[in-house]
Amino acid sequence: MCDIKKVLGRARLFSEIEEEDLEDLALDLNIHLRYIQKGECWVSAGEQLKQIGIIAKGSLILSLFTVRGDEHLVQKLKEHSVVGIDVVSTKSKSNPYDIRAAEDTIVLEIDWKRIETAGAIKERHRLQILHNAMVLISHENMRKTYKLEILMQKGIRDRVMTYLKIQEKKKGKSTFTIPYSRDELAAYLCVNRSALSHELSQMEKDDIIKYKRNEFTIL
């Protein structure tokens, strides 16, 4: 069973809303549960997105594909993350990504119109959610700036180090875990998977980093 109240309480979109109000808010929002199998799309690129999602269990991957079919991993979202907030806030609401499940996943679907439109839910809750949405979109813009900084680097090593330095700064320590598998990291950095594995091995030999699976240490 999915505890909707608990999921909302852990989602940043609903921060600063009292716990005792979440159950009534969940009813007012008319939340639907969507079960998505690993590899299945929640929303495909080009579709109009009118709902946001909150991940109750599992994880989602946002991807873009080149004309040759190569995948460019934009972001991987874990439990309690909000997905689609940047898209529903636009006029066209046209979704640019393939959003698929990285594993069996449960998503809470919320009609964004109920939040945009005054009167559907209590106004103090609506204003708080809209404020939180602005903060989330601001964070999303910063994340895209970091991604642009990574892709500006020409060599694989430079892309790896730029990404790891950003993670080190975020985590506040030199040893940390990243959310990506090796295939996912290659897709995120827009590099060949074999070339990435070779470069990581060489960077460890050069005493630049140490790593085991998705745990990294910058030396």
Side-chain angles (χ1 to χ4, degrees):
M1 290 291 292
C2 177
D3 188 336
I4 293 177
K5 178 181 173 182
K6 189 174 181 179
V7 175
L8 295 184
R10 293 183 177 180
R12 290 184 180 179
L13 187 62
F14 298 93
S15 63
E16 303 303 323
I17 294 177
E18 297 295 331
E19 184 178 352
E20 57 266 26
D21 292 337
L22 291 174
E23 192 167 344
D24 288 340
L25 181 58
L27 293 173
D28 291 341
L29 289 172
N30 194 24
I31 294 173
H32 296 280
L33 290 180
R34 173 85 175 272
Y35 297 85
I36 312 169
Q37 293 183 337
K38 180 180 179 180
E40 181 185 354
C41 264
W42 178 55
V43 182
S44 298
E47 290 186 33
Q48 193 175 52
L49 189 60
K50 296 181 179 180
Q51 76 277 8
I52 60 169
I54 298 176
I55 302 172
K57 180 182 179 182
S59 55
L60 294 174
I61 286 177
L62 282 63
S63 296
L64 297 171
F65 289 87
T66 68
V67 292
R68 296 187 302 176
D70 297 327
E71 181 182 13
H72 167 44
L73 194 154
V74 177
Q75 191 177 14
K76 185 176 183 179
L77 296 172
K78 293 188 173 183
E79 289 182 6
H80 309 123
S81 296
V82 180
V83 59
I85 194 79
D86 54 336
V87 178
V88 297
S89 300
T90 65
K91 186 176 181 180
S92 69
K93 303 187 188 304
S94 179
N95 174 49
Y97 317 111
D98 270 348
I99 306 176
R100 71 178 190 279
E103 56 192 302
D104 290 348
T105 299
I106 301 174
V107 176
L108 307 186
E109 295 184 335
I110 302 172
D111 183 354
W112 185 246
K113 202 165 192 178
R114 293 189 68 80
I115 297 172
E116 281 186 322
T117 307
I121 62 175
K122 290 180 180 178
E123 188 64 9
R124 60 190 175 89
H125 292 159
R126 191 177 80 89
L127 293 177
Q128 183 62 56
I129 293 170
L130 290 174
H131 170 77
N132 294 340
M134 289 179 61
V135 173
L136 287 173
I137 292 170
S138 297
H139 289 169
E140 179 65 14
N141 286 338
M142 286 303 301
R143 187 196 62 77
K144 289 177 180 177
T145 300
Y146 291 142
K147 183 65 177 290
L148 181 60
E149 181 183 355
I150 292 166
L151 296 183
M152 285 172 61
Q153 312 305 317
K154 293 183 179 180
I156 295 177
R157 180 172 296 200
D158 289 340
R159 289 192 181 187
V160 170
M161 282 308 300
T162 301
Y163 171 72
L164 294 180
K165 285 290 187 182
I166 290 171
Q167 297 307 306
E168 180 184 40
K169 185 178 180 179
K170 284 182 177 180
K171 308 287 186 180
K173 52 186 178 180
S174 59
T175 298
F176 48 83
T177 301
I178 67 171
Y180 302 123
S181 67
R182 199 66 73 241
D183 284 337
E184 291 168 348
L185 181 60
Y188 180 80
L189 298 176
C190 297
V191 299
N192 177 271
R193 200 267 193 213
S194 297
L196 173 63
S197 295
H198 173 77
E199 190 61 45
L200 289 174
S201 178
Q202 189 60 50
M203 290 170 73
E204 188 167 51
K205 288 178 182 177
D206 292 343
D207 292 325
I208 297 172
I209 62 170
K210 285 186 178 180
Y211 67 95
K212 184 176 182 181
R213 296 193 179 118
N214 61 342
E215 182 179 274
F216 286 80
T217 299
I218 297 179
L219 302 176

